[in-house]
Amino acid sequence: MGNFLTRLLFEEPALLLMFGAMAMAVALGVHRRRFTSATRNGVWGTLAGCIILVIVQSLVVTRREALIETVQQLTAAVDEGNVLAMEPFFYSEVRLGQKGAAPREAILRMADLALREYQVDEAGTGGFNMEIAGDRATVTFRVTCDLQGRDVGYRTPSTWRLGVLYDANQWRIDHIESGEIGLGGIGQSIDVMPYLQSQLASARQSPN
C-alpha cells in the first residue's frame, strides 16, 4: 500500500491524473445531486487539491526515481564512450559478480578496455525492477543498443542486475551482480561476467 501511494503521489503523473479525474467526477456528481454552496466549495476544493498534488509531484524526486535516473545517466555515458562521466556512479570499491571488491579506478579502466573493443550506440533502458531497503537497493533492468565489435553488429538486448548504495545524496554502484546479453533475439543469451572479469584482470595489470 505504501509503495502504491508513493507511486501515486510522487512518481507517476498518469496515475495521479487518473485519480484526480475520478475525484473530480465524484465531487461534480455530488454537487449535481445536492447543488449546495458546500458541494460547490467541495468541487473547487477538490480541483485545488489536484493542482497542488500535481505541483508537489513535479518538485519531489523519490529515491526510486533517482535510481532510475542514475541508471539512465550511466547508460548515456556508456553510449557516449565517456568513461570519466561514469565515475560519479560508482562507489569507491565495486564487486564484480561473486569476486571480491575492486577499486573504482580499476572498474573504470575495465570499462574503457571494453568500450575500445565494443562500440555502444543508441542505448535505451527499460523494464526496471528494484528492491530498496534504506540506503541499499538492487535494481534489475534491460538495455537495448546497437552493439558493434568482435563477432557482433546488430541491435542487442541485455539484462543487468546491480547492487547500489545511497552515498552523499546519490545512488552509487557497489556491486555488478550479473549481466546477460541476448543474441539477436533468437532466445539465447550469454553471460558477460567472465568477459568483464578478464577485462578487469587486464586493467589491473596495466593501470595506465
Side-chain angles (χ1 to χ4, degrees), residues 5 7 73 138:
L5 288 176
R7 290 171 52 213
Q73 290 177 344
T138 56

Side-chain angles (χ1 to χ4, degrees), residues 1-12 15 19:
M1 183 63 179
N3 185 50
F4 173 76
L5 288 176
T6 299
R7 290 171 52 213
L8 170 65
L9 297 176
F10 303 117
E11 296 179 353
E12 297 192 15
L15 191 60
F19 172 81

Side-chain angles (χ1 to χ4, degrees), residues 114-194:
L115 288 174
R116 291 182 186 181
E117 189 169 357
Y118 293 96
Q119 181 176 335
V120 175
D121 292 306
E122 302 297 326
T125 58
F128 287 92
N129 184 16
M130 59 190 71
E131 300 175 4
I132 299 177
D135 289 339
R136 294 209 59 86
T138 56
V139 54
T140 304
F141 58 97
R142 295 190 304 271
V143 177
T144 304
C145 68
D146 293 334
L147 188 63
Q148 302 288 335
R150 185 181 58 188
D151 300 327
V152 293
Y154 42 72
R155 192 89 180 145
T156 305
S158 61
T159 302
W160 300 86
R161 181 175 175 85
L162 306 176
V164 293
L165 176 68
Y166 198 71
D167 173 63
N169 296 319
Q170 180 177 334
W171 288 110
R172 301 181 195 275
I173 300 165
D174 68 348
H175 190 187
I176 303 173
E177 296 187 17
S178 64
E180 292 185 345
I181 295 181
L183 294 177
I186 61 175
Q188 299 180 3
S189 62
I190 56 174
D191 182 2
V192 301
M193 301 308 288

Side-chain angles (χ1 to χ4, degrees), residues 9 17 25 33-34 46 48 50 68 86 92 106 110 117 120 124 127 129 146 148 161 185 197-198 202 204:
L9 297 176
L17 289 175
R33 285 197 303 270
R34 299 182 181 178
T46 301
C50 291
I68 292 175
M86 302 178 199
S92 57
M110 174 198 74
E117 189 169 357
V120 175
N129 184 16
D146 293 334
Q148 302 288 335
R161 181 175 175 85
Q197 290 285 2
S198 68
S202 299
R204 283 171 157 166

